[in-house]
Amino acid sequence: MLIDRRTFLLNALAVAGTTGVAFATGCSRRRGSAPLRAAAQYLWSQQADDGGFHSTTYGLLRSGQSLTPFVLVALLGVPDSESSRPRGAVERALTFITANTNAEGALGLMDDTAADYPNYATALAVCAMVKARKSGYEKIIEPMVAQLRAQQFSEANGWTSQHAPYGGWGMGGSIRRPPEAGHVDLSMTRHVLEALQLSGVPASDQVVTRALTYLERSQNPDGGFYFSPVNPEINKAGESGGRFASYGTATADGVLALRAAGVSDEDPRIAKAIVWLKDHHEPDRAPGFDEGTGQPWGSGLRFYYAAAISRVLPKLPVELPPQTSDGSFRNSVNLVKEDDPLIATAFALYVLAR
């Protein structure tokens, strides 16, 4: 049973003045709007009695272990003036997160059938705890931060700077040791670095300096980034000039990861990436893909890119698909689960709230 769902959906309908109209935002847009309020109210209306946010679209996300901190972090970024949070809703979500964190500090491993992106879920849980500032959160996140540290591809796990995954993070779960790295990508690494930064880990810490080696491997001479130097098959833009091609979501992730590692925007690594993003930006899709061949990754990653670019370069124009009458958003392309309204709407909040 959803918390007061009817009330929230009625409120969403009342304020969703641009329902069914594509939303575009640029440097002249004022913070705060009816679409933002409607989107936030939609998400709160989807909180279950156990405090979690559970997908009804994808079985892997039904447990709510990764989805709950993901949605909560997005909602915590909405100003109080733009979102009437249900009484106790944040506390219930935090309780759900704590209840689903194992003794080692990992979230995402409490379902016997499948792991739910443990490093991603744990990193987002740290971010949610820090942003919510619940009393005693510092002690709660200690084992989570320790778990994220232990998951890095580092010397402690047998990896050296000569190995491609060195300094990065993968899915999580069982510790990976050479030669099998499994799945390792820039998005996972970015989210862990942001969690470490928010938890107070300084840029001088070895966990951060090791990560810079991984980020360097993921950046092209043109300034753009690609998804993984470890798993060629997941670099969705293919190859160009003998290298994996740069594309928008990876490049935005690269900038956010570098910032989380304490690198300034004046540093050439970020400066070149920002030039790439400005030169290639498309307001309604992730740039760097040829939409005429293969899978439409640019469209499939539309919401992820919109959220990330809104943080990297908030003055660039971004267009979202039409908002539905209940306040939610959906991507018609389901390549990366953005057809789930919980995912698309949470990403949309970063655009609407900027």
Side-chain angles (χ1 to χ4, degrees), residues 44 47 53 68-78 80 85 88-98 123-138 140-141 144 195 198-199:
W44 282 123
Q47 187 178 31
F53 292 87
T68 298
F70 168 71
V71 173
L72 183 59
V73 168
L75 283 167
L76 289 172
V78 178
D80 291 343
R85 297 173 184 171
V90 173
E91 290 73 17
R92 285 193 293 273
L94 294 175
T95 298
F96 176 89
I97 290 169
T98 303
L124 285 166
V126 171
C127 294
M129 291 286 178
V130 174
K131 288 178 180 292
R133 298 283 172 179
K134 180 182 178 181
S135 177
Y137 79 89
E138 297 94 341
I140 295 174
I141 68 172
M144 297 178 179
L198 279 175
S199 72

mmCIF file of all heavy atoms in Angstrom, residues 44 47 53 68-78 80 85 88-98 123-138 140-141 144 195 198-199:
data_model
loop_
_atom_site.group_PDB
_atom_site.id
_atom_site.type_symbol
_atom_site.label_atom_id
_atom_site.label_comp_id
_atom_site.label_asym_id
_atom_site.label_seq_id
_atom_site.Cartn_x
_atom_site.Cartn_y
_atom_site.Cartn_z
ATOM 1 N N TRP A 44 7.146 11.000 -3.924
ATOM 2 C CA TRP A 44 6.762 10.725 -2.539
ATOM 3 C C TRP A 44 5.538 9.804 -2.483
ATOM 4 O O TRP A 44 5.423 8.976 -1.582
ATOM 5 C CB TRP A 44 6.476 12.027 -1.789
ATOM 6 C CG TRP A 44 7.697 12.775 -1.354
ATOM 7 C CD1 TRP A 44 8.040 14.058 -1.650
ATOM 8 C CD2 TRP A 44 8.756 12.272 -0.521
ATOM 9 N NE1 TRP A 44 9.237 14.388 -1.059
ATOM 10 C CE2 TRP A 44 9.697 13.317 -0.366
ATOM 11 C CE3 TRP A 44 8.996 11.052 0.111
ATOM 12 C CZ2 TRP A 44 10.862 13.176 0.394
ATOM 13 C CZ3 TRP A 44 10.159 10.893 0.861
ATOM 14 C CH2 TRP A 44 11.071 11.947 1.000
ATOM 15 N N GLN A 47 6.335 6.034 -2.275
ATOM 16 C CA GLN A 47 7.010 5.414 -1.139
ATOM 17 C C GLN A 47 6.095 4.380 -0.495
ATOM 18 O O GLN A 47 4.931 4.649 -0.194
ATOM 19 C CB GLN A 47 7.425 6.467 -0.115
ATOM 20 C CG GLN A 47 8.288 5.904 1.015
ATOM 21 C CD GLN A 47 8.726 6.967 2.004
ATOM 22 O OE1 GLN A 47 8.006 7.946 2.239
ATOM 23 N NE2 GLN A 47 9.902 6.793 2.581
ATOM 24 N N PHE A 53 11.422 2.580 -1.865
ATOM 25 C CA PHE A 53 10.872 2.835 -3.198
ATOM 26 C C PHE A 53 11.158 1.584 -4.022
ATOM 27 O O PHE A 53 12.323 1.208 -4.196
ATOM 28 C CB PHE A 53 11.508 4.077 -3.825
ATOM 29 C CG PHE A 53 11.138 5.356 -3.126
ATOM 30 C CD1 PHE A 53 11.873 5.806 -2.037
ATOM 31 C CD2 PHE A 53 10.050 6.113 -3.550
ATOM 32 C CE1 PHE A 53 11.531 6.989 -1.373
ATOM 33 C CE2 PHE A 53 9.694 7.292 -2.897
ATOM 34 C CZ PHE A 53 10.447 7.727 -1.807
ATOM 35 N N THR A 68 15.882 2.970 -3.510
ATOM 36 C CA THR A 68 15.484 3.849 -2.405
ATOM 37 C C THR A 68 16.484 4.969 -2.160
ATOM 38 O O THR A 68 16.088 6.147 -2.120
ATOM 39 C CB THR A 68 15.234 3.034 -1.130
ATOM 40 O OG1 THR A 68 14.158 2.112 -1.375
ATOM 41 C CG2 THR A 68 14.868 3.937 0.040
ATOM 42 N N PRO A 69 17.775 4.698 -1.996
ATOM 43 C CA PRO A 69 18.700 5.825 -1.829
ATOM 44 C C PRO A 69 18.812 6.695 -3.071
ATOM 45 O O PRO A 69 19.013 7.902 -2.969
ATOM 46 C CB PRO A 69 20.032 5.158 -1.479
ATOM 47 C CG PRO A 69 19.917 3.764 -1.969
ATOM 48 C CD PRO A 69 18.470 3.404 -1.838
ATOM 49 N N PHE A 70 18.660 6.088 -4.249
ATOM 50 C CA PHE A 70 18.697 6.854 -5.498
ATOM 51 C C PHE A 70 17.584 7.903 -5.531
ATOM 52 O O PHE A 70 17.823 9.087 -5.787
ATOM 53 C CB PHE A 70 18.574 5.894 -6.681
ATOM 54 C CG PHE A 70 18.306 6.559 -8.000
ATOM 55 C CD1 PHE A 70 19.275 7.310 -8.633
ATOM 56 C CD2 PHE A 70 17.062 6.428 -8.622
ATOM 57 C CE1 PHE A 70 19.025 7.932 -9.851
ATOM 58 C CE2 PHE A 70 16.799 7.035 -9.832
ATOM 59 C CZ PHE A 70 17.782 7.798 -10.457
ATOM 60 N N VAL A 71 16.355 7.477 -5.243
ATOM 61 C CA VAL A 71 15.221 8.396 -5.246
ATOM 62 C C VAL A 71 15.336 9.393 -4.099
ATOM 63 O O VAL A 71 15.075 10.592 -4.268
ATOM 64 C CB VAL A 71 13.892 7.619 -5.165
ATOM 65 C CG1 VAL A 71 12.708 8.572 -4.992
ATOM 66 C CG2 VAL A 71 13.691 6.757 -6.413
ATOM 67 N N LEU A 72 15.751 8.918 -2.931
ATOM 68 C CA LEU A 72 15.836 9.801 -1.774
ATOM 69 C C LEU A 72 16.856 10.908 -1.978
ATOM 70 O O LEU A 72 16.591 12.073 -1.634
ATOM 71 C CB LEU A 72 16.183 8.987 -0.523
ATOM 72 C CG LEU A 72 16.241 9.787 0.788
ATOM 73 C CD1 LEU A 72 14.913 10.472 1.084
ATOM 74 C CD2 LEU A 72 16.650 8.872 1.946
ATOM 75 N N VAL A 73 18.010 10.599 -2.528
ATOM 76 C CA VAL A 73 19.023 11.635 -2.784
ATOM 77 C C VAL A 73 18.459 12.704 -3.714
ATOM 78 O O VAL A 73 18.661 13.910 -3.498
ATOM 79 C CB VAL A 73 20.309 11.018 -3.367
ATOM 80 C CG1 VAL A 73 21.247 12.103 -3.900
ATOM 81 C CG2 VAL A 73 21.031 10.195 -2.307
ATOM 82 N N ALA A 74 17.752 12.284 -4.759
ATOM 83 C CA ALA A 74 17.149 13.253 -5.682
ATOM 84 C C ALA A 74 16.121 14.121 -4.965
ATOM 85 O O ALA A 74 16.084 15.348 -5.139
ATOM 86 C CB ALA A 74 16.514 12.530 -6.864
ATOM 87 N N LEU A 75 15.287 13.522 -4.144
ATOM 88 C CA LEU A 75 14.253 14.282 -3.430
ATOM 89 C C LEU A 75 14.851 15.229 -2.398
ATOM 90 O O LEU A 75 14.330 16.328 -2.173
ATOM 91 C CB LEU A 75 13.285 13.314 -2.750
ATOM 92 C CG LEU A 75 12.253 12.656 -3.672
ATOM 93 C CD1 LEU A 75 11.574 11.490 -2.970
ATOM 94 C CD2 LEU A 75 11.217 13.677 -4.144
ATOM 95 N N LEU A 76 15.943 14.844 -1.776
ATOM 96 C CA LEU A 76 16.585 15.714 -0.786
ATOM 97 C C LEU A 76 17.201 16.954 -1.428
ATOM 98 O O LEU A 76 17.503 17.925 -0.737
ATOM 99 C CB LEU A 76 17.651 14.933 -0.007
ATOM 100 C CG LEU A 76 17.122 13.888 0.976
ATOM 101 C CD1 LEU A 76 18.271 13.039 1.535
ATOM 102 C CD2 LEU A 76 16.351 14.545 2.108
ATOM 103 N N GLY A 77 17.366 16.922 -2.754
ATOM 104 C CA GLY A 77 17.874 18.087 -3.465
ATOM 105 C C GLY A 77 16.801 19.081 -3.858
ATOM 106 O O GLY A 77 17.109 20.151 -4.398
ATOM 107 N N VAL A 78 15.547 18.756 -3.596
ATOM 108 C CA VAL A 78 14.431 19.656 -3.915
ATOM 109 C C VAL A 78 14.215 20.595 -2.731
ATOM 110 O O VAL A 78 14.073 20.135 -1.590
ATOM 111 C CB VAL A 78 13.141 18.860 -4.198
ATOM 112 C CG1 VAL A 78 11.975 19.802 -4.472
ATOM 113 C CG2 VAL A 78 13.354 17.904 -5.375
ATOM 114 N N ASP A 80 12.641 22.789 0.184
ATOM 115 C CA ASP A 80 11.431 22.550 0.971
ATOM 116 C C ASP A 80 10.239 23.326 0.422
ATOM 117 O O ASP A 80 9.097 22.854 0.486
ATOM 118 C CB ASP A 80 11.665 22.940 2.434
ATOM 119 C CG ASP A 80 12.632 21.999 3.133
ATOM 120 O OD1 ASP A 80 12.861 20.891 2.613
ATOM 121 O OD2 ASP A 80 13.157 22.378 4.199
ATOM 122 N N ARG A 85 7.060 17.345 1.912
ATOM 123 C CA ARG A 85 7.408 15.971 2.251
ATOM 124 C C ARG A 85 6.381 15.396 3.230
ATOM 125 O O ARG A 85 6.015 16.051 4.198
ATOM 126 C CB ARG A 85 8.791 15.927 2.907
ATOM 127 C CG ARG A 85 9.921 16.393 2.011
ATOM 128 C CD ARG A 85 11.219 16.471 2.794
ATOM 129 N NE ARG A 85 12.298 17.016 1.972
ATOM 130 C CZ ARG A 85 13.501 17.350 2.444
ATOM 131 N NH1 ARG A 85 13.765 17.190 3.744
ATOM 132 N NH2 ARG A 85 14.419 17.844 1.637
ATOM 133 N N GLY A 88 7.508 12.292 8.329
ATOM 134 C CA GLY A 88 8.284 11.094 8.642
ATOM 135 C C GLY A 88 8.793 10.322 7.450
ATOM 136 O O GLY A 88 9.420 9.268 7.607
ATOM 137 N N ALA A 89 8.561 10.826 6.221
ATOM 138 C CA ALA A 89 8.927 10.062 5.022
ATOM 139 C C ALA A 89 10.431 9.873 4.891
ATOM 140 O O ALA A 89 10.903 8.787 4.526
ATOM 141 C CB ALA A 89 8.376 10.748 3.779
ATOM 142 N N VAL A 90 11.201 10.927 5.161
ATOM 143 C CA VAL A 90 12.659 10.810 5.062
ATOM 144 C C VAL A 90 13.170 9.804 6.082
ATOM 145 O O VAL A 90 14.005 8.937 5.764
ATOM 146 C CB VAL A 90 13.334 12.187 5.265
ATOM 147 C CG1 VAL A 90 14.858 12.029 5.344
ATOM 148 C CG2 VAL A 90 12.967 13.138 4.135
ATOM 149 N N GLU A 91 12.671 9.881 7.296
ATOM 150 C CA GLU A 91 13.104 8.966 8.348
ATOM 151 C C GLU A 91 12.764 7.517 7.995
ATOM 152 O O GLU A 91 13.561 6.607 8.254
ATOM 153 C CB GLU A 91 12.447 9.349 9.679
ATOM 154 C CG GLU A 91 12.954 10.650 10.282
ATOM 155 C CD GLU A 91 12.459 11.895 9.547
ATOM 156 O OE1 GLU A 91 11.468 11.793 8.770
ATOM 157 O OE2 GLU A 91 13.069 12.961 9.729
ATOM 158 N N ARG A 92 11.595 7.301 7.394
ATOM 159 C CA ARG A 92 11.215 5.935 7.004
ATOM 160 C C ARG A 92 12.147 5.404 5.914
ATOM 161 O O ARG A 92 12.513 4.223 5.921
ATOM 162 C CB ARG A 92 9.757 5.891 6.530
ATOM 163 C CG ARG A 92 8.745 5.985 7.678
ATOM 164 C CD ARG A 92 7.342 5.624 7.196
ATOM 165 N NE ARG A 92 6.821 6.619 6.260
ATOM 166 C CZ ARG A 92 6.173 7.724 6.624
ATOM 167 N NH1 ARG A 92 6.000 7.997 7.910
ATOM 168 N NH2 ARG A 92 5.703 8.561 5.722
ATOM 169 N N ALA A 93 12.507 6.257 4.975
ATOM 170 C CA ALA A 93 13.428 5.833 3.918
ATOM 171 C C ALA A 93 14.803 5.508 4.492
ATOM 172 O O ALA A 93 15.434 4.510 4.107
ATOM 173 C CB ALA A 93 13.540 6.925 2.853
ATOM 174 N N LEU A 94 15.269 6.327 5.425
ATOM 175 C CA LEU A 94 16.570 6.068 6.049
ATOM 176 C C LEU A 94 16.538 4.772 6.869
ATOM 177 O O LEU A 94 17.509 4.007 6.871
ATOM 178 C CB LEU A 94 16.966 7.243 6.938
ATOM 179 C CG LEU A 94 17.236 8.573 6.215
ATOM 180 C CD1 LEU A 94 17.497 9.678 7.233
ATOM 181 C CD2 LEU A 94 18.404 8.459 5.248
ATOM 182 N N THR A 95 15.421 4.525 7.538
ATOM 183 C CA THR A 95 15.271 3.281 8.299
ATOM 184 C C THR A 95 15.297 2.074 7.369
ATOM 185 O O THR A 95 15.913 1.042 7.678
ATOM 186 C CB THR A 95 13.958 3.298 9.108
ATOM 187 O OG1 THR A 95 14.003 4.381 10.037
ATOM 188 C CG2 THR A 95 13.758 1.991 9.857
ATOM 189 N N PHE A 96 14.640 2.200 6.207
ATOM 190 C CA PHE A 96 14.666 1.122 5.213
ATOM 191 C C PHE A 96 16.099 0.853 4.771
ATOM 192 O O PHE A 96 16.526 -0.303 4.663
ATOM 193 C CB PHE A 96 13.804 1.499 4.010
ATOM 194 C CG PHE A 96 13.852 0.496 2.889
ATOM 195 C CD1 PHE A 96 12.968 -0.570 2.850
ATOM 196 C CD2 PHE A 96 14.800 0.610 1.871
ATOM 197 C CE1 PHE A 96 13.023 -1.514 1.826
ATOM 198 C CE2 PHE A 96 14.865 -0.320 0.848
ATOM 199 C CZ PHE A 96 13.975 -1.387 0.820
ATOM 200 N N ILE A 97 16.851 1.915 4.500
ATOM 201 C CA ILE A 97 18.239 1.763 4.059
ATOM 202 C C ILE A 97 19.059 1.056 5.132
ATOM 203 O O ILE A 97 19.804 0.109 4.843
ATOM 204 C CB ILE A 97 18.840 3.144 3.725
ATOM 205 C CG1 ILE A 97 18.198 3.702 2.447
ATOM 206 C CG2 ILE A 97 20.364 3.041 3.557
ATOM 207 C CD1 ILE A 97 18.536 5.153 2.177
ATOM 208 N N THR A 98 18.928 1.508 6.367
ATOM 209 C CA THR A 98 19.695 0.903 7.458
ATOM 210 C C THR A 98 19.330 -0.568 7.646
ATOM 211 O O THR A 98 20.204 -1.420 7.839
ATOM 212 C CB THR A 98 19.431 1.671 8.769
ATOM 213 O OG1 THR A 98 19.774 3.048 8.590
ATOM 214 C CG2 THR A 98 20.270 1.104 9.901
ATOM 215 N N ALA A 123 27.004 3.524 -2.044
ATOM 216 C CA ALA A 123 27.457 4.906 -2.247
ATOM 217 C C ALA A 123 26.294 5.881 -2.135
ATOM 218 O O ALA A 123 26.395 6.930 -1.482
ATOM 219 C CB ALA A 123 28.135 5.037 -3.612
ATOM 220 N N LEU A 124 25.171 5.559 -2.756
ATOM 221 C CA LEU A 124 24.001 6.431 -2.678
ATOM 222 C C LEU A 124 23.444 6.480 -1.261
ATOM 223 O O LEU A 124 22.938 7.521 -0.821
ATOM 224 C CB LEU A 124 22.928 5.939 -3.650
ATOM 225 C CG LEU A 124 23.208 6.247 -5.127
ATOM 226 C CD1 LEU A 124 22.274 5.437 -6.023
ATOM 227 C CD2 LEU A 124 23.060 7.734 -5.420
ATOM 228 N N ALA A 125 23.547 5.382 -0.532
ATOM 229 C CA ALA A 125 23.095 5.370 0.856
ATOM 230 C C ALA A 125 23.912 6.335 1.700
ATOM 231 O O ALA A 125 23.364 7.062 2.539
ATOM 232 C CB ALA A 125 23.184 3.957 1.427
ATOM 233 N N VAL A 126 25.227 6.356 1.491
ATOM 234 C CA VAL A 126 26.078 7.314 2.200
ATOM 235 C C VAL A 126 25.651 8.744 1.872
ATOM 236 O O VAL A 126 25.502 9.583 2.772
ATOM 237 C CB VAL A 126 27.566 7.099 1.835
ATOM 238 C CG1 VAL A 126 28.430 8.234 2.385
ATOM 239 C CG2 VAL A 126 28.056 5.761 2.366
ATOM 240 N N CYS A 127 25.426 9.019 0.585
ATOM 241 C CA CYS A 127 25.008 10.365 0.172
ATOM 242 C C CYS A 127 23.686 10.749 0.823
ATOM 243 O O CYS A 127 23.513 11.883 1.290
ATOM 244 C CB CYS A 127 24.885 10.437 -1.347
ATOM 245 S SG CYS A 127 26.453 10.253 -2.222
ATOM 246 N N ALA A 128 22.740 9.807 0.870
ATOM 247 C CA ALA A 128 21.437 10.085 1.467
ATOM 248 C C ALA A 128 21.575 10.378 2.955
ATOM 249 O O ALA A 128 20.959 11.320 3.485
ATOM 250 C CB ALA A 128 20.490 8.905 1.238
ATOM 251 N N MET A 129 22.369 9.579 3.644
ATOM 252 C CA MET A 129 22.564 9.777 5.085
ATOM 253 C C MET A 129 23.190 11.134 5.383
ATOM 254 O O MET A 129 22.768 11.847 6.304
ATOM 255 C CB MET A 129 23.450 8.665 5.655
ATOM 256 C CG MET A 129 22.808 7.293 5.673
ATOM 257 S SD MET A 129 21.555 7.157 6.976
ATOM 258 C CE MET A 129 20.966 5.487 6.699
ATOM 259 N N VAL A 130 24.193 11.498 4.604
ATOM 260 C CA VAL A 130 24.875 12.776 4.831
ATOM 261 C C VAL A 130 23.940 13.940 4.530
ATOM 262 O O VAL A 130 23.856 14.908 5.295
ATOM 263 C CB VAL A 130 26.158 12.870 3.992
ATOM 264 C CG1 VAL A 130 26.786 14.260 4.133
ATOM 265 C CG2 VAL A 130 27.157 11.797 4.415
ATOM 266 N N LYS A 131 23.218 13.859 3.415
ATOM 267 C CA LYS A 131 22.329 14.960 3.030
ATOM 268 C C LYS A 131 21.157 15.122 3.994
ATOM 269 O O LYS A 131 20.704 16.234 4.258
ATOM 270 C CB LYS A 131 21.818 14.735 1.600
ATOM 271 C CG LYS A 131 22.884 14.947 0.532
ATOM 272 C CD LYS A 131 22.340 14.672 -0.856
ATOM 273 C CE LYS A 131 23.404 14.879 -1.931
ATOM 274 N NZ LYS A 131 23.803 16.282 -2.076
ATOM 275 N N ALA A 132 20.668 14.003 4.543
ATOM 276 C CA ALA A 132 19.536 14.066 5.465
ATOM 277 C C ALA A 132 19.955 14.570 6.841
ATOM 278 O O ALA A 132 19.139 15.110 7.592
ATOM 279 C CB ALA A 132 18.879 12.695 5.583
ATOM 280 N N ARG A 133 21.238 14.356 7.214
ATOM 281 C CA ARG A 133 21.769 14.839 8.487
ATOM 282 C C ARG A 133 20.990 14.315 9.689
ATOM 283 O O ARG A 133 20.783 15.031 10.674
ATOM 284 C CB ARG A 133 21.795 16.368 8.518
ATOM 285 C CG ARG A 133 22.681 16.995 7.466
ATOM 286 C CD ARG A 133 24.123 16.897 7.852
ATOM 287 N NE ARG A 133 25.007 17.333 6.767
ATOM 288 C CZ ARG A 133 26.340 17.370 6.862
ATOM 289 N NH1 ARG A 133 26.916 16.998 7.972
ATOM 290 N NH2 ARG A 133 27.078 17.761 5.840
ATOM 291 N N LYS A 134 20.571 13.074 9.608
ATOM 292 C CA LYS A 134 19.891 12.467 10.753
ATOM 293 C C LYS A 134 20.884 12.333 11.900
ATOM 294 O O LYS A 134 22.052 11.999 11.697
ATOM 295 C CB LYS A 134 19.340 11.096 10.358
ATOM 296 C CG LYS A 134 18.613 10.376 11.474
ATOM 297 C CD LYS A 134 18.137 9.010 11.018
ATOM 298 C CE LYS A 134 17.436 8.263 12.149
ATOM 299 N NZ LYS A 134 16.989 6.916 11.713
ATOM 300 N N SER A 135 20.425 12.566 13.101
ATOM 301 C CA SER A 135 21.290 12.483 14.267
ATOM 302 C C SER A 135 21.994 11.130 14.324
ATOM 303 O O SER A 135 21.372 10.077 14.190
ATOM 304 C CB SER A 135 20.462 12.688 15.536
ATOM 305 O OG SER A 135 21.268 12.544 16.689
ATOM 306 N N GLY A 136 23.318 11.172 14.468
ATOM 307 C CA GLY A 136 24.101 9.950 14.560
ATOM 308 C C GLY A 136 24.488 9.347 13.242
ATOM 309 O O GLY A 136 25.031 8.236 13.186
ATOM 310 N N TYR A 137 24.260 10.083 12.140
ATOM 311 C CA TYR A 137 24.545 9.501 10.823
ATOM 312 C C TYR A 137 26.023 9.188 10.637
ATOM 313 O O TYR A 137 26.387 8.281 9.889
ATOM 314 C CB TYR A 137 24.063 10.437 9.708
ATOM 315 C CG TYR A 137 24.976 11.601 9.423
ATOM 316 C CD1 TYR A 137 26.014 11.501 8.495
ATOM 317 C CD2 TYR A 137 24.819 12.818 10.092
ATOM 318 C CE1 TYR A 137 26.854 12.576 8.233
ATOM 319 C CE2 TYR A 137 25.650 13.887 9.843
ATOM 320 C CZ TYR A 137 26.672 13.761 8.915
ATOM 321 O OH TYR A 137 27.510 14.813 8.662
ATOM 322 N N GLU A 138 26.891 9.941 11.321
ATOM 323 C CA GLU A 138 28.334 9.714 11.151
ATOM 324 C C GLU A 138 28.714 8.274 11.514
ATOM 325 O O GLU A 138 29.523 7.640 10.817
ATOM 326 C CB GLU A 138 29.145 10.693 12.019
ATOM 327 C CG GLU A 138 28.944 12.164 11.649
ATOM 328 C CD GLU A 138 27.854 12.834 12.478
ATOM 329 O OE1 GLU A 138 27.014 12.101 13.073
ATOM 330 O OE2 GLU A 138 27.842 14.068 12.532
ATOM 331 N N ILE A 140 26.601 5.723 11.535
ATOM 332 C CA ILE A 140 25.893 4.809 10.634
ATOM 333 C C ILE A 140 26.675 4.594 9.341
ATOM 334 O O ILE A 140 26.728 3.477 8.813
ATOM 335 C CB ILE A 140 24.485 5.347 10.320
ATOM 336 C CG1 ILE A 140 23.627 5.375 11.595
ATOM 337 C CG2 ILE A 140 23.796 4.500 9.247
ATOM 338 C CD1 ILE A 140 22.275 6.030 11.414
ATOM 339 N N ILE A 141 27.291 5.656 8.822
ATOM 340 C CA ILE A 141 27.977 5.525 7.537
ATOM 341 C C ILE A 141 29.393 4.970 7.648
ATOM 342 O O ILE A 141 30.002 4.621 6.630
ATOM 343 C CB ILE A 141 28.015 6.868 6.759
ATOM 344 C CG1 ILE A 141 28.911 7.894 7.470
ATOM 345 C CG2 ILE A 141 26.609 7.391 6.514
ATOM 346 C CD1 ILE A 141 29.146 9.154 6.648
ATOM 347 N N MET A 144 29.736 1.662 5.998
ATOM 348 C CA MET A 144 29.476 1.821 4.568
ATOM 349 C C MET A 144 30.715 2.366 3.855
ATOM 350 O O MET A 144 31.108 1.860 2.792
ATOM 351 C CB MET A 144 28.295 2.770 4.346
ATOM 352 C CG MET A 144 26.974 2.294 4.899
ATOM 353 S SD MET A 144 25.679 3.535 4.626
ATOM 354 C CE MET A 144 24.259 2.710 5.323
ATOM 355 N N ALA A 195 30.360 9.799 -2.798
ATOM 356 C CA ALA A 195 30.027 9.365 -1.442
ATOM 357 C C ALA A 195 31.212 9.585 -0.500
ATOM 358 O O ALA A 195 31.044 10.053 0.635
ATOM 359 C CB ALA A 195 29.612 7.894 -1.447
ATOM 360 N N LEU A 198 31.539 13.333 0.264
ATOM 361 C CA LEU A 198 30.508 13.796 1.193
ATOM 362 C C LEU A 198 30.760 13.282 2.608
ATOM 363 O O LEU A 198 30.409 13.948 3.587
ATOM 364 C CB LEU A 198 29.123 13.353 0.725
ATOM 365 C CG LEU A 198 28.460 14.196 -0.363
ATOM 366 C CD1 LEU A 198 27.156 13.555 -0.800
ATOM 367 C CD2 LEU A 198 28.207 15.620 0.117
ATOM 368 N N SER A 199 31.360 12.110 2.721
ATOM 369 C CA SER A 199 31.611 11.537 4.044
ATOM 370 C C SER A 199 32.808 12.181 4.729
ATOM 371 O O SER A 199 33.063 11.901 5.907
ATOM 372 C CB SER A 199 31.833 10.026 3.933
ATOM 373 O OG SER A 199 33.093 9.739 3.341
#
